[in-house]
Amino acid sequence: MDRASSPSQAPHRAGFACFVGRPNAGKSTLTNALVGTKVAITSNRPQTTRHTVRGIVHRPDAQLVLVDTPGLHKPRTLLGERLNDVVRTTWAEVDVIGFCLPADQKLGPGDRFIAGELAGIKKTPKVAIVTKTDLVDSKALAEQLIAVQQLGQELGIEWAEIVPVSAVGDQQVSLLADLLAPMLPESPPLYPEGDLTDEPEQIMVAELIREAALEGVRDELPHSIAVVVEEMIPREDRPADKPLLDIHANVYIERPSQKGIIIGPKGARLKQVGMKSRKHIEALLGTPVYLDLHVKVAKDWQRDPKQLRKLGF
């Protein structure tokens, strides 16, 4: 093989991709599988990703920056409207859009709603990603792939690719990265090699606490939890080889009656939340952590512009 055509001569590419799809279509799990570490919050409850969490996939030939948008939905609250604005702005700015459709659910009105919105965005290449293929047999998968093809034809979307993947079974995830990379513009890497996300650490820590807080109370408090990390400070007087990071965070709920649910009998639930999120936070930051959690009431924060701003939306 002569030097000129060796792969090292190919131009490096770098750019942004975002995954869209109705809530629980496997977007965050796919982001995590591609990046190889847990960056976006994953949960089986819609509307858990609120921030544009970016995961960064470093490859020798390309750097793919994943922008994780909240699920697009018909808004009922001010928070909902703000989330939808974020989504549309993001779509207009990325280099490629991946539309996630779970293999184990028939295409529904939610998928059509999003596909209709996508059809209006002309220039950006769109890849249909059929997720959760580990949950269906090959016949059901084939039917879903055909349905996705037809959905594109009906709405005038030309899919750049249709790819089945299982992020959990790690099937075709690297193939997906291989297909997305050539769609990016030629560019040197946009982020230094070690970066996995450009999300400020405090926001990621807050998301991990929120994920742990939602764990056992999803049915009672699906959306009414927000977490704000007030401060993260290294504990003074610690030997260099035994650092400790003090994290003070507030868990906000909407009504006083929800306080008991989150704290649990004799504070047992809150303790559980602290233990669980601390493990993830320590793994994320690579340092031992002392986590101080307080539960506070912020009345009807989802509908109040002032509260929304304060809580970071």
Side-chain angles (χ1 to χ4, degrees):
M1 181 170 166
D2 66 85
R3 289 291 311 152
S5 63
S6 74
S8 63
Q9 302 299 308
H12 186 279
R13 294 178 177 272
F16 295 87
C18 78
F19 294 143
V20 304
R22 60 189 153 98
N24 198 16
K27 303 181 290 286
S28 296
T29 310
L30 187 56
T31 299
N32 292 337
L34 278 162
V35 176
T37 44
K38 184 167 179 157
V39 285
I41 170 175
T42 55
S43 105
N44 53 6
R45 191 49 157 224
Q47 286 311 101
T48 43
T49 310
R50 291 210 176 125
H51 296 282
T52 308
V53 178
R54 296 180 172 85
I56 302 166
V57 184
H58 298 278
R59 299 162 52 101
D61 59 332
Q63 188 181 68
L64 179 65
V65 183
L66 301 169
V67 187
D68 198 21
T69 55
L72 190 81
H73 58 103
K74 299 198 167 80
R76 284 192 301 275
T77 60
L78 183 63
L79 173 64
E81 279 170 38
R82 258 187 219 180
L83 291 174
N84 280 359
D85 291 344
V86 171
V87 177
R88 290 201 187 82
T89 318
T90 307
W91 290 5
E93 291 165 357
V94 297
D95 300 300
V96 54
I97 298 172
F99 182 21
C100 296
L101 303 126
D104 63 332
Q105 294 164 34
K106 290 256 182 286
L107 298 188
D111 299 312
R112 285 178 182 282
F113 174 67
I114 293 170
E117 296 279 327
L118 281 178
I121 294 173
K122 292 294 178 219
K123 287 199 182 79
T124 319
K126 297 162 207 63
V127 175
I129 305 167
V130 176
T131 58
K132 308 189 186 189
T133 56
D134 51 302
L135 300 180
V136 297
D137 60 20
S138 51
K139 181 171 173 286
L141 177 57
E143 285 168 4
Q144 188 72 325
L145 292 170
I146 292 166
V148 171
Q149 176 78 38
Q150 286 170 341
L151 178 68
Q153 284 168 347
E154 273 170 49
L155 296 169
I157 301 173
E158 191 153 330
W159 303 120
E161 300 277 354
I162 299 179
V163 196
V165 301
S166 162
V168 175
D170 203 18
Q171 285 155 337
Q172 306 244 85
V173 173
S174 54
L175 169 74
L176 175 63
D178 292 343
L179 294 171
L180 295 174
M183 298 182 192
L184 306 174
E186 290 183 19
S187 155
L190 304 166
Y191 290 87
E193 178 63 53
D195 289 7
L196 292 173
T197 170
D198 73 351
E199 192 64 276
E201 283 179 341
Q202 270 175 264
I203 290 181
M204 292 185 70
V205 166
E207 288 283 78
L208 289 171
I209 296 169
R210 187 164 171 267
E211 185 178 53
L214 277 170
E215 199 59 23
V217 299
R218 292 187 197 291
D219 300 334
E220 297 140 292
L221 313 173
H223 304 317
S224 25
I225 297 178
V227 176
V228 176
V229 172
E230 297 295 336
E231 54 183 13
M232 292 173 37
I233 0 176
R235 175 88 53 100
E236 288 177 15
D237 315 329
R238 295 285 291 196
D241 58 342
K242 291 213 173 102
L244 183 67
L245 186 66
D246 284 317
I247 298 180
H248 301 279
N250 291 327
V251 178
Y252 288 95
I253 45 182
E254 292 193 297
R255 291 188 290 286
S257 59
Q258 298 171 332
K259 215 167 172 171
I261 300 175
I262 272 281
I263 294 172
K266 296 203 168 107
R269 258 213 54 64
L270 192 62
K271 203 162 158 188
Q272 216 32 55
V273 171
M275 278 160 51
K276 193 170 171 151
S277 54
R278 197 185 75 230
K279 278 219 295 274
H280 286 305
I281 293 166
E282 290 181 339
L284 172 77
L285 302 177
T287 174
V289 160
Y290 171 77
L291 186 57
D292 177 39
L293 286 182
H294 291 275
V295 179
K296 302 200 162 183
V297 178
K299 221 165 138 33
D300 290 332
W301 62 265
Q302 295 194 51
R303 294 173 194 281
D304 175 350
K306 237 178 35 233
Q307 300 266 21
L308 279 175
R309 268 201 305 281
K310 184 180 150 205
L311 298 174
F313 301 108

